[in-house]
Amino acid sequence: LAICCPFALLCYLPLSGFLRLPLKKLAALSALGVTAFVGIGALACCRFQLSVNALLFPALLLFLLLYLKSVALPPSKALFVFFTATMLVSFSATLSCYLCAPLELHNDQPVFTLPSGLIGLALTFAVLLVFSLLFRRKIHWMLCNVSFSAIWRALFVAPLFLTGLFIWMTPIYPAVVLTGRVREISIVLLISFLSLLFWFYYFVYLTTRKMSEAAELHAQNQLLSMENTRYRELREHMDATRQLRHDFRQHLHVISGLTEAGRLDELKSYLSQYESELSDARPTLCVNAAVDALAGHYDYEARKQGIQIEWKLELPKLLPLPEADLCTILGNLLENALHASQKLP
């Protein structure tokens, strides 16, 4: 039952920044709860001759509920970390059964002998150490940066399936393990399987990182395209303004002539036409170039569809966060607002 200690560590090691409780308080509560469970469970197993799994399986559901309440993660991400921990612990327990089969050959009790239990616990901590050194930061990066919910829903199924597989591979009787070369072959296969498992996790990390980088590059390309469009619009506006300034003397002559002739109706019509030419170009919406380009794009799309839109973008030229991140969030909000407005009368 003491393998619940490394199990709890595996569950929380990659979750820096995703805890609902302060780290010290959560560590104290977890240590107290796991120690109480191990102590009371061990006494119950010895007193009533219970199998260890008779306590572990129902306790696993309770641990899962408490775990989901203690972490600030979507359920699919939390389940991926939780079942990764169950998978590694169940692997260690299964491997220890094969390693310790000679020690358990004449044990007729439903619990392990003390040497077998200590070997199993040491093996679980060793797997914890290796996995943490290799993947703790990688899994933390995935939790922070991979937001594709479909990926996480598919990912957590793999360690859940492997947990069941390792439990199914656990031998019922030590004598069966010691038949022929079953023990040696099983140990080699299990260690090889763990190596493949680590490669699988590394492959998942590389794949999700490439997908995240591709999504970020796509967002940056979209922003650059908007900035390029905005730049062309500003150039056209500057050219039009330059032409208007050049023709302004001619307009003054016309205005002066119409005024002297007292033709006020024609003067009003001419001024209205001239004013519309001046107001065609869109003004700068924000001093930050990236946000201005994004706003200019959606401003144009909204006005083209007859949707009224007003802006108040009081942002500095230099933002306290990456422009691509802010523009991704702002662009999604504006796109959703534009689509919602299209459905209105």
Coordinates of all heavy atoms in Angstrom, one line a residue, residues 102-170:
P102 N 10.5 -15.6 -6.3 CA 11.2 -16.6 -5.4 C 10.9 -16.3 -3.9 O 10.8 -17.2 -3.1 CB 12.6 -16.5 -5.7 CG 12.7 -15.9 -7.1 CD 11.5 -15.0 -7.2
L103 N 10.8 -15.0 -3.5 CA 10.5 -14.7 -2.1 C 9.1 -14.9 -1.7 O 8.8 -15.1 -0.5 CB 10.9 -13.2 -1.9 CG 12.3 -12.7 -2.2 CD1 12.4 -11.2 -2.0 CD2 13.3 -13.4 -1.3
E104 N 8.2 -15.0 -2.7 CA 6.8 -15.2 -2.4 C 6.3 -16.6 -2.6 O 5.1 -16.9 -2.4 CB 5.9 -14.2 -3.3 CG 6.2 -12.8 -3.1 CD 5.8 -12.3 -1.7 OE1 4.7 -12.7 -1.3 OE2 6.5 -11.5 -1.1
L105 N 7.2 -17.5 -3.0 CA 6.8 -18.8 -3.3 C 6.1 -19.6 -2.2 O 5.1 -20.3 -2.4 CB 8.1 -19.7 -3.8 CG 7.8 -21.0 -4.3 CD1 6.9 -21.0 -5.5 CD2 9.1 -21.8 -4.7
H106 N 6.6 -19.4 -1.0 CA 5.9 -20.1 0.1 C 5.1 -19.2 1.0 O 4.8 -19.5 2.2 CB 7.0 -20.8 1.0 CG 7.9 -21.8 0.2 ND1 7.4 -22.9 -0.3 CD2 9.2 -21.7 -0.2 CE1 8.3 -23.6 -1.0 NE2 9.4 -22.9 -0.9
N107 N 4.8 -18.0 0.5 CA 4.0 -17.1 1.3 C 2.5 -17.4 1.0 O 2.0 -17.2 -0.1 CB 4.3 -15.6 0.9 CG 3.5 -14.6 1.6 OD1 2.9 -14.9 2.7 ND2 3.4 -13.4 1.1
D108 N 1.7 -17.8 2.0 CA 0.3 -18.1 1.9 C -0.6 -17.0 2.4 O -1.8 -17.1 2.5 CB 0.0 -19.4 2.6 CG 0.3 -19.4 4.1 OD1 0.9 -18.3 4.5 OD2 0.0 -20.3 4.8
Q109 N 0.0 -15.8 2.6 CA -0.8 -14.7 3.1 C -1.2 -13.8 1.9 O -0.6 -13.8 0.9 CB 0.1 -13.8 4.1 CG 0.6 -14.5 5.3 CD -0.6 -15.0 6.2 OE1 -1.5 -14.2 6.4 NE2 -0.5 -16.2 6.7
P110 N -2.3 -13.0 2.1 CA -2.8 -12.2 1.0 C -2.0 -10.9 0.8 O -2.3 -10.1 -0.1 CB -4.2 -11.8 1.4 CG -4.2 -11.9 2.9 CD -3.2 -13.0 3.3
V111 N -1.0 -10.7 1.6 CA -0.1 -9.5 1.5 C 1.3 -10.0 1.2 O 1.7 -11.1 1.5 CB -0.1 -8.6 2.8 CG1 -1.5 -8.1 3.0 CG2 0.3 -9.4 4.0
F112 N 2.2 -9.1 0.7 CA 3.6 -9.4 0.4 C 4.4 -9.6 1.7 O 4.0 -9.0 2.7 CB 4.2 -8.3 -0.4 CG 3.7 -8.2 -1.9 CD1 3.0 -7.1 -2.3 CD2 3.9 -9.3 -2.7 CE1 2.5 -7.0 -3.6 CE2 3.4 -9.2 -4.0 CZ 2.7 -8.1 -4.5
T113 N 5.4 -10.3 1.5 CA 6.4 -10.4 2.6 C 7.1 -9.0 2.7 O 7.1 -8.2 1.7 CB 7.5 -11.5 2.4 OG1 8.1 -11.2 1.2 CG2 6.8 -12.8 2.4
L114 N 7.8 -8.7 3.8 CA 8.4 -7.4 4.0 C 9.5 -7.2 2.9 O 9.6 -6.1 2.3 CB 9.0 -7.3 5.4 CG 9.7 -6.0 5.7 CD1 8.7 -4.8 5.6 CD2 10.3 -6.0 7.1
P115 N 10.4 -8.1 2.6 CA 11.4 -7.9 1.6 C 10.8 -7.5 0.2 O 11.2 -6.6 -0.5 CB 12.2 -9.2 1.5 CG 12.0 -9.8 2.9 CD 10.7 -9.4 3.3
S116 N 9.7 -8.3 -0.2 CA 9.1 -8.0 -1.4 C 8.4 -6.6 -1.5 O 8.5 -5.9 -2.5 CB 8.0 -9.1 -1.7 OG 8.6 -10.4 -1.8
G117 N 7.8 -6.3 -0.3 CA 7.2 -5.0 -0.3 C 8.2 -3.8 -0.4 O 8.0 -2.8 -1.1
L118 N 9.3 -4.0 0.2 CA 10.4 -3.0 0.2 C 11.0 -2.9 -1.2 O 11.3 -1.8 -1.7 CB 11.5 -3.3 1.2 CG 11.1 -3.1 2.7 CD1 12.2 -3.5 3.6 CD2 10.7 -1.7 3.0
I119 N 11.2 -4.0 -1.9 CA 11.7 -4.0 -3.3 C 10.7 -3.3 -4.2 O 11.1 -2.5 -5.0 CB 12.0 -5.5 -3.7 CG1 13.2 -6.0 -3.0 CG2 12.2 -5.5 -5.2 CD1 13.4 -7.5 -3.2
G120 N 9.4 -3.7 -4.0 CA 8.4 -3.0 -4.9 C 8.3 -1.5 -4.7 O 8.2 -0.7 -5.6
L121 N 8.5 -1.1 -3.4 CA 8.4 0.3 -3.1 C 9.6 1.0 -3.7 O 9.5 2.1 -4.3 CB 8.4 0.5 -1.6 CG 8.2 2.0 -1.1 CD1 6.9 2.6 -1.6 CD2 8.3 2.0 0.4
A122 N 10.8 0.4 -3.5 CA 12.1 1.0 -4.1 C 12.0 1.1 -5.6 O 12.4 2.1 -6.2 CB 13.3 0.2 -3.7
L123 N 11.4 0.1 -6.2 CA 11.3 0.1 -7.7 C 10.3 1.2 -8.1 O 10.6 1.9 -9.1 CB 10.8 -1.3 -8.2 CG 10.6 -1.5 -9.7 CD1 11.9 -1.3 -10.4 CD2 10.0 -2.8 -9.9
T124 N 9.3 1.4 -7.4 CA 8.3 2.4 -7.8 C 9.0 3.8 -7.7 O 8.8 4.7 -8.5 CB 7.1 2.4 -6.8 OG1 6.5 1.1 -6.9 CG2 6.0 3.4 -7.3
F125 N 9.7 4.0 -6.6 CA 10.4 5.3 -6.5 C 11.5 5.5 -7.6 O 11.7 6.6 -8.1 CB 11.1 5.4 -5.1 CG 10.2 6.0 -4.0 CD1 9.7 5.2 -3.0 CD2 9.9 7.4 -4.1 CE1 8.9 5.8 -2.0 CE2 9.1 7.9 -3.1 CZ 8.6 7.1 -2.1
A126 N 12.1 4.4 -8.0 CA 13.1 4.5 -9.1 C 12.4 4.9 -10.4 O 12.9 5.8 -11.1 CB 13.8 3.2 -9.2
V127 N 11.3 4.3 -10.7 CA 10.5 4.6 -11.9 C 10.1 6.1 -11.8 O 10.1 6.8 -12.8 CB 9.3 3.7 -12.1 CG1 8.4 4.2 -13.2 CG2 9.8 2.3 -12.4
L128 N 9.6 6.5 -10.6 CA 9.2 7.9 -10.4 C 10.4 8.8 -10.7 O 10.2 9.9 -11.4 CB 8.8 8.1 -9.0 CG 8.7 9.5 -8.4 CD1 7.6 10.3 -9.1 CD2 8.5 9.5 -6.9
L129 N 11.6 8.5 -10.2 CA 12.7 9.4 -10.4 C 13.1 9.5 -11.9 O 13.3 10.6 -12.4 CB 13.9 8.9 -9.6 CG 15.2 9.6 -9.8 CD1 15.0 11.1 -9.2 CD2 16.4 8.9 -9.0
V130 N 13.1 8.4 -12.6 CA 13.5 8.4 -14.0 C 12.4 9.2 -14.8 O 12.8 10.0 -15.7 CB 13.6 7.0 -14.5 CG1 13.8 7.0 -16.0 CG2 14.8 6.3 -13.8
F131 N 11.2 8.9 -14.6 CA 10.1 9.6 -15.3 C 10.1 11.0 -15.1 O 9.9 11.9 -16.0 CB 8.8 8.9 -15.0 CG 7.6 9.4 -15.9 CD1 7.4 8.8 -17.1 CD2 6.8 10.5 -15.5 CE1 6.4 9.3 -17.9 CE2 5.8 10.9 -16.3 CZ 5.6 10.3 -17.5
S132 N 10.3 11.4 -13.8 CA 10.3 12.9 -13.5 C 11.5 13.6 -14.1 O 11.3 14.7 -14.7 CB 10.4 13.0 -12.0 OG 9.3 12.4 -11.3
L133 N 12.7 13.0 -14.2 CA 13.8 13.6 -14.8 C 13.6 13.8 -16.3 O 14.0 14.8 -16.9 CB 15.1 12.8 -14.6 CG 15.6 12.8 -13.1 CD1 16.8 11.8 -13.0 CD2 16.0 14.2 -12.7
L134 N 12.9 12.8 -16.9 CA 12.7 12.8 -18.4 C 11.5 13.7 -18.8 O 11.6 14.3 -19.8 CB 12.6 11.4 -18.9 CG 13.8 10.5 -18.8 CD1 13.5 9.1 -19.3 CD2 15.0 11.1 -19.6
F135 N 10.4 13.6 -18.0 CA 9.2 14.1 -18.6 C 8.4 15.1 -17.7 O 7.4 15.7 -18.2 CB 8.2 12.9 -18.9 CG 8.7 12.0 -19.9 CD1 9.3 10.8 -19.6 CD2 8.7 12.4 -21.3 CE1 9.7 9.9 -20.6 CE2 9.1 11.5 -22.3 CZ 9.6 10.3 -21.9
R136 N 8.9 15.4 -16.5 CA 8.1 16.4 -15.7 C 8.0 17.7 -16.4 O 6.8 18.2 -16.5 CB 8.8 16.5 -14.3 CG 8.0 17.5 -13.4 CD 8.7 17.5 -12.0 NE 10.0 18.1 -12.1 CZ 10.3 19.4 -12.0 NH1 9.3 20.2 -11.8 NH2 11.5 19.9 -12.0
R137 N 9.0 18.3 -16.9 CA 9.0 19.6 -17.5 C 8.2 19.5 -18.9 O 7.5 20.5 -19.3 CB 10.4 20.2 -17.7 CG 11.0 20.5 -16.4 CD 12.4 21.3 -16.7 NE 13.0 21.7 -15.4 CZ 14.1 22.3 -15.4 NH1 14.8 22.6 -16.5 NH2 14.6 22.6 -14.2
K138 N 8.4 18.4 -19.6 CA 7.7 18.3 -20.9 C 6.2 18.2 -20.7 O 5.4 18.8 -21.4 CB 8.2 17.0 -21.6 CG 9.7 17.1 -22.0 CD 10.2 15.9 -22.7 CE 11.6 16.0 -23.2 NZ 12.6 16.4 -22.2
I139 N 5.8 17.4 -19.7 CA 4.3 17.3 -19.4 C 3.8 18.7 -19.0 O 2.7 19.1 -19.4 CB 4.0 16.2 -18.4 CG1 4.3 14.8 -19.1 CG2 2.6 16.3 -17.9 CD1 4.0 13.6 -18.2
H140 N 4.6 19.4 -18.1 CA 4.1 20.7 -17.7 C 4.0 21.6 -18.9 O 3.0 22.4 -18.9 CB 5.1 21.2 -16.7 CG 4.7 22.6 -16.1 ND1 5.2 23.8 -16.6 CD2 3.9 22.9 -15.1 CE1 4.6 24.7 -15.9 NE2 3.9 24.2 -15.0
W141 N 4.9 21.6 -19.8 CA 4.8 22.4 -21.0 C 3.6 22.1 -21.8 O 2.9 22.9 -22.3 CB 6.1 22.2 -21.9 CG 6.0 23.1 -23.1 CD1 6.5 24.3 -23.3 CD2 5.4 22.7 -24.4 NE1 6.3 24.8 -24.5 CE2 5.6 23.8 -25.2 CE3 4.7 21.6 -24.8 CZ2 5.1 23.9 -26.5 CZ3 4.3 21.6 -26.2 CH2 4.4 22.7 -27.0
M142 N 3.3 20.8 -21.9 CA 2.1 20.4 -22.7 C 0.8 20.9 -22.0 O -0.1 21.4 -22.7 CB 2.1 18.8 -22.8 CG 3.1 18.2 -23.7 SD 3.2 16.4 -23.6 CE 1.5 16.0 -24.0
L143 N 0.8 20.8 -20.7 CA -0.4 21.3 -20.0 C -0.6 22.8 -20.2 O -1.7 23.3 -20.2 CB -0.3 21.0 -18.5 CG -0.3 19.5 -18.1 CD1 0.0 19.3 -16.6 CD2 -1.6 18.8 -18.5
C144 N 0.5 23.5 -20.3 CA 0.5 25.0 -20.4 C 0.1 25.4 -21.8 O -0.6 26.4 -22.0 CB 1.8 25.6 -20.0 SG 2.2 25.5 -18.2
N145 N 0.6 24.7 -22.8 CA 0.6 25.2 -24.2 C -0.3 24.5 -25.2 O -0.6 25.0 -26.2 CB 2.1 25.2 -24.8 CG 3.0 26.1 -24.0 OD1 3.0 27.3 -24.2 ND2 3.8 25.6 -23.1
V146 N -0.7 23.2 -24.8 CA -1.5 22.5 -25.8 C -2.9 22.6 -25.3 O -3.3 22.1 -24.2 CB -1.1 21.0 -25.8 CG1 -1.9 20.2 -26.8 CG2 0.4 20.9 -26.2
S147 N -3.8 23.3 -26.1 CA -5.1 23.5 -25.7 C -6.1 22.8 -26.6 O -7.3 23.1 -26.5 CB -5.4 25.0 -25.8 OG -5.1 25.5 -27.1
F148 N -5.7 21.8 -27.4 CA -6.6 21.1 -28.3 C -7.3 20.0 -27.4 O -6.7 19.0 -27.0 CB -5.8 20.4 -29.4 CG -5.0 21.4 -30.2 CD1 -3.6 21.4 -30.1 CD2 -5.6 22.3 -31.0 CE1 -2.8 22.2 -30.8 CE2 -4.8 23.2 -31.7 CZ -3.4 23.2 -31.6
S149 N -8.6 20.3 -27.1 CA -9.3 19.4 -26.2 C -9.4 17.9 -26.8 O -9.4 17.0 -26.0 CB -10.7 19.9 -25.9 OG -11.4 20.2 -27.1
A150 N -9.5 17.8 -28.1 CA -9.6 16.5 -28.7 C -8.4 15.7 -28.5 O -8.5 14.5 -28.3 CB -9.9 16.7 -30.2
I151 N -7.2 16.3 -28.5 CA -6.0 15.6 -28.2 C -5.9 15.0 -26.8 O -5.6 13.9 -26.6 CB -4.8 16.5 -28.5 CG1 -4.6 16.9 -30.0 CG2 -3.5 15.9 -28.0 CD1 -3.5 17.8 -30.3
W152 N -6.3 15.8 -25.9 CA -6.3 15.4 -24.5 C -7.3 14.3 -24.2 O -7.0 13.4 -23.4 CB -6.5 16.6 -23.5 CG -5.4 17.5 -23.5 CD1 -5.3 18.8 -24.0 CD2 -4.1 17.3 -22.9 NE1 -4.1 19.3 -23.8 CE2 -3.3 18.4 -23.1 CE3 -3.5 16.2 -22.2 CZ2 -2.0 18.5 -22.7 CZ3 -2.2 16.3 -21.8 CH2 -1.5 17.5 -22.0
R153 N -8.5 14.4 -24.9 CA -9.5 13.3 -24.7 C -8.9 12.0 -25.2 O -9.3 10.9 -24.7 CB -10.8 13.7 -25.4 CG -11.6 14.7 -24.7 CD -13.0 14.8 -25.2 NE -13.1 15.2 -26.6 CZ -13.2 16.4 -27.0 NH1 -13.3 17.4 -26.1 NH2 -13.3 16.7 -28.3
A154 N -8.1 12.0 -26.3 CA -7.6 10.8 -26.8 C -6.3 10.3 -26.0 O -6.1 9.1 -25.9 CB -7.1 11.0 -28.3
L155 N -5.6 11.3 -25.5 CA -4.3 10.9 -24.8 C -4.6 10.2 -23.5 O -3.9 9.2 -23.2 CB -3.5 12.2 -24.5 CG -2.7 12.7 -25.7 CD1 -1.9 14.0 -25.2 CD2 -1.7 11.7 -26.1
F156 N -5.6 10.6 -22.7 CA -5.7 10.0 -21.4 C -6.2 8.5 -21.4 O -6.0 7.8 -20.5 CB -6.6 10.8 -20.5 CG -8.1 10.5 -20.5 CD1 -8.6 9.5 -19.8 CD2 -8.9 11.3 -21.3 CE1 -10.0 9.2 -19.9 CE2 -10.3 11.0 -21.4 CZ -10.8 10.0 -20.7
V157 N -6.7 8.1 -22.6 CA -7.2 6.8 -22.7 C -6.0 5.8 -22.8 O -6.1 4.7 -22.3 CB -8.1 6.6 -24.0 CG1 -8.4 5.2 -24.3 CG2 -9.3 7.5 -23.9
A158 N -4.9 6.2 -23.4 CA -3.7 5.3 -23.5 C -3.2 4.9 -22.1 O -3.0 3.7 -21.9 CB -2.6 6.0 -24.3
P159 N -2.9 5.8 -21.2 CA -2.4 5.3 -19.9 C -3.4 4.6 -19.1 O -3.1 3.7 -18.3 CB -2.0 6.6 -19.2 CG -2.6 7.7 -19.9 CD -2.8 7.3 -21.3
L160 N -4.7 4.9 -19.3 CA -5.8 4.1 -18.6 C -5.8 2.7 -19.1 O -5.9 1.7 -18.3 CB -7.1 4.8 -18.9 CG -8.4 4.0 -18.4 CD1 -8.3 3.9 -16.9 CD2 -9.6 4.7 -18.8
F161 N -5.7 2.5 -20.4 CA -5.6 1.1 -21.0 C -4.4 0.4 -20.5 O -4.5 -0.8 -20.2 CB -5.6 1.2 -22.5 CG -5.3 -0.1 -23.2 CD1 -6.3 -1.1 -23.3 CD2 -4.1 -0.3 -23.8 CE1 -6.0 -2.3 -23.9 CE2 -3.8 -1.5 -24.4 CZ -4.7 -2.5 -24.5
L162 N -3.3 1.1 -20.5 CA -2.0 0.4 -20.1 C -2.1 0.0 -18.6 O -1.5 -1.0 -18.2 CB -0.8 1.3 -20.4 CG -0.5 1.4 -21.9 CD1 0.6 2.5 -22.1 CD2 -0.1 0.1 -22.5
T163 N -2.7 0.9 -17.8 CA -2.9 0.5 -16.4 C -3.6 -0.8 -16.2 O -3.2 -1.7 -15.5 CB -3.7 1.6 -15.6 OG1 -3.0 2.8 -15.7 CG2 -3.9 1.2 -14.2
G164 N -4.7 -1.0 -17.0 CA -5.5 -2.2 -17.0 C -4.6 -3.4 -17.5 O -4.7 -4.5 -17.0
L165 N -3.8 -3.1 -18.5 CA -3.0 -4.2 -19.1 C -2.0 -4.7 -18.1 O -1.8 -5.9 -17.9 CB -2.3 -3.6 -20.3 CG -1.3 -4.6 -21.0 CD1 -2.1 -5.8 -21.6 CD2 -0.6 -3.9 -22.2
F166 N -1.3 -3.7 -17.4 CA -0.3 -4.2 -16.4 C -0.9 -4.9 -15.2 O -0.4 -5.9 -14.7 CB 0.5 -2.9 -15.9 CG 1.4 -2.3 -16.8 CD1 1.5 -1.0 -17.0 CD2 2.3 -3.1 -17.6 CE1 2.4 -0.4 -18.0 CE2 3.2 -2.6 -18.5 CZ 3.2 -1.2 -18.7
I167 N -2.1 -4.5 -14.8 CA -2.8 -5.2 -13.7 C -3.2 -6.6 -14.2 O -3.0 -7.6 -13.5 CB -4.1 -4.5 -13.3 CG1 -3.7 -3.1 -12.6 CG2 -4.9 -5.3 -12.3 CD1 -4.8 -2.2 -12.3
W168 N -3.6 -6.7 -15.5 CA -4.0 -8.1 -16.0 C -2.7 -9.0 -16.1 O -2.8 -10.2 -16.0 CB -4.6 -7.9 -17.4 CG -5.0 -9.1 -18.1 CD1 -6.0 -10.0 -17.8 CD2 -4.2 -9.8 -19.1 NE1 -6.0 -11.1 -18.6 CE2 -4.9 -11.0 -19.5 CE3 -3.1 -9.4 -19.8 CZ2 -4.5 -11.8 -20.5 CZ3 -2.6 -10.3 -20.8 CH2 -3.3 -11.4 -21.2
M169 N -1.5 -8.3 -16.4 CA -0.3 -9.1 -16.5 C 0.3 -9.6 -15.2 O 1.2 -10.4 -15.1 CB 0.7 -8.3 -17.2 CG 0.4 -8.0 -18.7 SD 1.6 -6.9 -19.5 CE 3.1 -7.9 -19.3
T170 N -0.3 -9.1 -14.1 CA 0.2 -9.4 -12.7 C 0.0 -10.9 -12.5 O -1.2 -11.4 -12.6 CB -0.4 -8.6 -11.6 OG1 -0.2 -7.2 -11.9 CG2 0.2 -8.9 -10.3

